[in-house]
Amino acid sequence: MRAVGAVLRRWPAIGGWFGMVARASAVKDVLTRTPSFANTAHAANMVSGDYLIGMDPGPTYTADRDLVHARLDALDVPNASDEEAKKRIAMLGSGDRSFDLIDNYLMWVVFHAMKPLFGSATDAVVAGSADPAAQAAVDEGLQRQYMLEIRYVAGQLLAGNLATLDLRRRAETCGDALQARIDRVTGPIGTAWGVKSASEDIERNAVGLAWISHPVTVQSGALAVQELLGRPQVYEQLLSRAKSLKDRVWTDAGFRKDVRDHVLELMRFRPIFPLLARDVPRDTELQTGARQNAKCPGGGKIALLSIAALFDPSVVSDSRRFCPERDWGKDDPLRYLMFGYGYRQCPAKDHAVDILTSALIGLLTLPRLQLARGEDKAITYDGPLMLSMRMRIT
């Protein structure tokens, strides 16, 4: 995709003919012209109902966004993700030295970092019941079941048109189950949130917060680790620094910043949404960077090669080089393009990067890691959705 993007950056008129843009300026233009290029293109892959990511701007979007910001403000991500990462690393270090990066580590770190989203209603959400007895029975088995449910709901969005039939079926089944689960506990959620909105408003936002906040971050983490292990020299340098810090690995501010910079650079090379789509509600034109604007007929779609924009040499110096310490200057917002751009950017982008920073620091406290290659594949997929990533501690 980076190669295709390079071609379209060089000859943007070609992309304009096919409704594709690749230059950073053009991608940013599309993402900031929300009335002309609508997020509703996501709707086809949102099996659990409406949510911010697929809404047009308007009163409902504004109210929902305010609620999401209020819930995000309740999080203490660095501390929560650090504590869970330490706990899981201790368990992995005392085990059989092989583990699944997703099922045994990442999904738990993300779950506990984002757990306060539902406040006192968290156990009710996981149990799918307002009954105190059911909530008291919540254990890691039920938590795992809940996380698998929301994984497949998000999987449909992540896979898009590449989703296999099995993935689509699981997504639809899990989407129905998630809606039913939340519908049964809108009362406790409303109480925990301190809002008196209509039950359908609470349900819409609770469903959306459940499936978008957790699985997408988990998948991003798995992709980042995959990219890191494919760069052994970078991995060895980080590992050596972590070992030299010993117990200070969690508290050294300089190291944490460096790891955070690495997370963002790893996500630049392996973004979870390398290609985005937008609906075109009415006839308009787009400046692709060619001499003439590209015509965008109403009722159609436009595709954005966001991964190409992240490698645009006109704004990213020496863009093909892996360089976490790169000074982005005035173009620093572009560094977060994997989270969108402008007003419609993911409101939890900093939380997601903080969670992945904690998760990566935890992995760096282990001896060397490698993919567990053997009879079975180390990484299994369902379409582009990563289902498992088997690791071995060496």
Side-chain angles (χ1 to χ4, degrees), residues 207-223:
V207 168
L209 277 170
W211 71 261
I212 197 68
S213 64
H214 182 275
V216 174
T217 306
V218 172
Q219 287 287 307
S220 295
L223 290 170

PDB file of all heavy atoms in Angstrom, residues 207-223:
ATOM      1  N   VAL A 207     -22.891   0.910  23.884  1.00  0.00           N
ATOM      2  CA  VAL A 207     -22.506  -0.094  22.890  1.00  0.00           C
ATOM      3  C   VAL A 207     -21.266   0.369  22.126  1.00  0.00           C
ATOM      4  O   VAL A 207     -20.296  -0.372  21.951  1.00  0.00           O
ATOM      5  CB  VAL A 207     -23.670  -0.374  21.919  1.00  0.00           C
ATOM      6  CG1 VAL A 207     -23.191  -1.184  20.712  1.00  0.00           C
ATOM      7  CG2 VAL A 207     -24.788  -1.124  22.628  1.00  0.00           C
ATOM      8  N   GLY A 208     -21.285   1.626  21.691  1.00  0.00           N
ATOM      9  CA  GLY A 208     -20.152   2.143  20.929  1.00  0.00           C
ATOM     10  C   GLY A 208     -18.869   2.185  21.738  1.00  0.00           C
ATOM     11  O   GLY A 208     -17.804   1.781  21.254  1.00  0.00           O
ATOM     12  N   LEU A 209     -18.964   2.655  22.985  1.00  0.00           N
ATOM     13  CA  LEU A 209     -17.772   2.707  23.833  1.00  0.00           C
ATOM     14  C   LEU A 209     -17.198   1.320  24.077  1.00  0.00           C
ATOM     15  O   LEU A 209     -15.979   1.142  24.157  1.00  0.00           O
ATOM     16  CB  LEU A 209     -18.113   3.369  25.171  1.00  0.00           C
ATOM     17  CG  LEU A 209     -18.114   4.899  25.202  1.00  0.00           C
ATOM     18  CD1 LEU A 209     -18.710   5.402  26.506  1.00  0.00           C
ATOM     19  CD2 LEU A 209     -16.709   5.445  25.016  1.00  0.00           C
ATOM     20  N   ALA A 210     -18.075   0.324  24.180  1.00  0.00           N
ATOM     21  CA  ALA A 210     -17.606  -1.037  24.454  1.00  0.00           C
ATOM     22  C   ALA A 210     -16.780  -1.582  23.299  1.00  0.00           C
ATOM     23  O   ALA A 210     -15.652  -2.064  23.490  1.00  0.00           O
ATOM     24  CB  ALA A 210     -18.805  -1.949  24.727  1.00  0.00           C
ATOM     25  N   TRP A 211     -17.315  -1.479  22.085  1.00  0.00           N
ATOM     26  CA  TRP A 211     -16.643  -2.201  20.993  1.00  0.00           C
ATOM     27  C   TRP A 211     -15.542  -1.406  20.307  1.00  0.00           C
ATOM     28  O   TRP A 211     -14.639  -1.980  19.702  1.00  0.00           O
ATOM     29  CB  TRP A 211     -17.649  -2.724  19.969  1.00  0.00           C
ATOM     30  CG  TRP A 211     -18.322  -1.694  19.093  1.00  0.00           C
ATOM     31  CD1 TRP A 211     -19.560  -1.162  19.277  1.00  0.00           C
ATOM     32  CD2 TRP A 211     -17.829  -1.133  17.879  1.00  0.00           C
ATOM     33  NE1 TRP A 211     -19.855  -0.280  18.270  1.00  0.00           N
ATOM     34  CE2 TRP A 211     -18.817  -0.238  17.392  1.00  0.00           C
ATOM     35  CE3 TRP A 211     -16.653  -1.274  17.151  1.00  0.00           C
ATOM     36  CZ2 TRP A 211     -18.671   0.490  16.216  1.00  0.00           C
ATOM     37  CZ3 TRP A 211     -16.505  -0.543  15.980  1.00  0.00           C
ATOM     38  CH2 TRP A 211     -17.506   0.326  15.523  1.00  0.00           C
ATOM     39  N   ILE A 212     -15.577  -0.078  20.401  1.00  0.00           N
ATOM     40  CA  ILE A 212     -14.536   0.669  19.706  1.00  0.00           C
ATOM     41  C   ILE A 212     -13.340   0.936  20.601  1.00  0.00           C
ATOM     42  O   ILE A 212     -12.212   1.021  20.139  1.00  0.00           O
ATOM     43  CB  ILE A 212     -15.108   1.995  19.149  1.00  0.00           C
ATOM     44  CG1 ILE A 212     -14.182   2.581  18.074  1.00  0.00           C
ATOM     45  CG2 ILE A 212     -15.327   3.004  20.264  1.00  0.00           C
ATOM     46  CD1 ILE A 212     -14.121   1.770  16.809  1.00  0.00           C
ATOM     47  N   SER A 213     -13.554   1.051  21.925  1.00  0.00           N
ATOM     48  CA  SER A 213     -12.455   1.451  22.802  1.00  0.00           C
ATOM     49  C   SER A 213     -11.475   0.322  23.064  1.00  0.00           C
ATOM     50  O   SER A 213     -10.290   0.562  23.283  1.00  0.00           O
ATOM     51  CB  SER A 213     -13.011   1.942  24.143  1.00  0.00           C
ATOM     52  OG  SER A 213     -13.676   0.886  24.824  1.00  0.00           O
ATOM     53  N   HIS A 214     -11.940  -0.910  23.029  1.00  0.00           N
ATOM     54  CA  HIS A 214     -11.091  -2.031  23.427  1.00  0.00           C
ATOM     55  C   HIS A 214     -10.444  -2.772  22.252  1.00  0.00           C
ATOM     56  O   HIS A 214      -9.213  -2.792  22.135  1.00  0.00           O
ATOM     57  CB  HIS A 214     -11.895  -2.999  24.295  1.00  0.00           C
ATOM     58  CG  HIS A 214     -11.109  -4.158  24.806  1.00  0.00           C
ATOM     59  ND1 HIS A 214     -10.911  -5.308  24.068  1.00  0.00           N
ATOM     60  CD2 HIS A 214     -10.450  -4.348  25.968  1.00  0.00           C
ATOM     61  CE1 HIS A 214     -10.171  -6.148  24.752  1.00  0.00           C
ATOM     62  NE2 HIS A 214      -9.884  -5.604  25.909  1.00  0.00           N
ATOM     63  N   PRO A 215     -11.218  -3.402  21.362  1.00  0.00           N
ATOM     64  CA  PRO A 215     -10.590  -4.249  20.340  1.00  0.00           C
ATOM     65  C   PRO A 215      -9.688  -3.498  19.378  1.00  0.00           C
ATOM     66  O   PRO A 215      -8.673  -4.042  18.929  1.00  0.00           O
ATOM     67  CB  PRO A 215     -11.795  -4.859  19.598  1.00  0.00           C
ATOM     68  CG  PRO A 215     -12.963  -4.663  20.499  1.00  0.00           C
ATOM     69  CD  PRO A 215     -12.684  -3.423  21.273  1.00  0.00           C
ATOM     70  N   VAL A 216     -10.036  -2.255  19.041  1.00  0.00           N
ATOM     71  CA  VAL A 216      -9.204  -1.509  18.101  1.00  0.00           C
ATOM     72  C   VAL A 216      -7.832  -1.224  18.714  1.00  0.00           C
ATOM     73  O   VAL A 216      -6.804  -1.306  18.038  1.00  0.00           O
ATOM     74  CB  VAL A 216      -9.913  -0.208  17.681  1.00  0.00           C
ATOM     75  CG1 VAL A 216      -8.998   0.651  16.818  1.00  0.00           C
ATOM     76  CG2 VAL A 216     -11.205  -0.520  16.926  1.00  0.00           C
ATOM     77  N   THR A 217      -7.807  -0.907  20.005  1.00  0.00           N
ATOM     78  CA  THR A 217      -6.529  -0.679  20.680  1.00  0.00           C
ATOM     79  C   THR A 217      -5.713  -1.966  20.753  1.00  0.00           C
ATOM     80  O   THR A 217      -4.486  -1.952  20.562  1.00  0.00           O
ATOM     81  CB  THR A 217      -6.767  -0.122  22.098  1.00  0.00           C
ATOM     82  OG1 THR A 217      -7.601   1.032  22.021  1.00  0.00           O
ATOM     83  CG2 THR A 217      -5.451   0.263  22.761  1.00  0.00           C
ATOM     84  N   VAL A 218      -6.380  -3.082  21.027  1.00  0.00           N
ATOM     85  CA  VAL A 218      -5.690  -4.378  21.070  1.00  0.00           C
ATOM     86  C   VAL A 218      -5.058  -4.699  19.723  1.00  0.00           C
ATOM     87  O   VAL A 218      -3.890  -5.108  19.638  1.00  0.00           O
ATOM     88  CB  VAL A 218      -6.660  -5.493  21.502  1.00  0.00           C
ATOM     89  CG1 VAL A 218      -5.999  -6.863  21.345  1.00  0.00           C
ATOM     90  CG2 VAL A 218      -7.105  -5.294  22.946  1.00  0.00           C
ATOM     91  N   GLN A 219      -5.833  -4.528  18.651  1.00  0.00           N
ATOM     92  CA  GLN A 219      -5.302  -4.807  17.317  1.00  0.00           C
ATOM     93  C   GLN A 219      -4.134  -3.885  16.982  1.00  0.00           C
ATOM     94  O   GLN A 219      -3.139  -4.314  16.401  1.00  0.00           O
ATOM     95  CB  GLN A 219      -6.406  -4.651  16.275  1.00  0.00           C
ATOM     96  CG  GLN A 219      -7.436  -5.763  16.289  1.00  0.00           C
ATOM     97  CD  GLN A 219      -6.902  -7.069  15.733  1.00  0.00           C
ATOM     98  OE1 GLN A 219      -6.369  -7.131  14.632  1.00  0.00           O
ATOM     99  NE2 GLN A 219      -7.036  -8.135  16.515  1.00  0.00           N
ATOM    100  N   SER A 220      -4.245  -2.619  17.357  1.00  0.00           N
ATOM    101  CA  SER A 220      -3.148  -1.674  17.113  1.00  0.00           C
ATOM    102  C   SER A 220      -1.885  -2.117  17.837  1.00  0.00           C
ATOM    103  O   SER A 220      -0.773  -2.031  17.296  1.00  0.00           O
ATOM    104  CB  SER A 220      -3.545  -0.269  17.580  1.00  0.00           C
ATOM    105  OG  SER A 220      -4.614   0.234  16.814  1.00  0.00           O
ATOM    106  N   GLY A 221      -2.048  -2.608  19.074  1.00  0.00           N
ATOM    107  CA  GLY A 221      -0.903  -3.083  19.830  1.00  0.00           C
ATOM    108  C   GLY A 221      -0.243  -4.290  19.192  1.00  0.00           C
ATOM    109  O   GLY A 221       0.992  -4.384  19.131  1.00  0.00           O
ATOM    110  N   ALA A 222      -1.058  -5.221  18.707  1.00  0.00           N
ATOM    111  CA  ALA A 222      -0.508  -6.413  18.065  1.00  0.00           C
ATOM    112  C   ALA A 222       0.250  -6.044  16.791  1.00  0.00           C
ATOM    113  O   ALA A 222       1.329  -6.579  16.516  1.00  0.00           O
ATOM    114  CB  ALA A 222      -1.632  -7.402  17.752  1.00  0.00           C
ATOM    115  N   LEU A 223      -0.289  -5.122  16.014  1.00  0.00           N
ATOM    116  CA  LEU A 223       0.387  -4.679  14.797  1.00  0.00           C
ATOM    117  C   LEU A 223       1.702  -3.980  15.124  1.00  0.00           C
ATOM    118  O   LEU A 223       2.709  -4.165  14.434  1.00  0.00           O
ATOM    119  CB  LEU A 223      -0.521  -3.740  14.001  1.00  0.00           C
ATOM    120  CG  LEU A 223      -1.738  -4.381  13.330  1.00  0.00           C
ATOM    121  CD1 LEU A 223      -2.677  -3.304  12.788  1.00  0.00           C
ATOM    122  CD2 LEU A 223      -1.309  -5.312  12.203  1.00  0.00           C
TER     123      LEU A 223
END
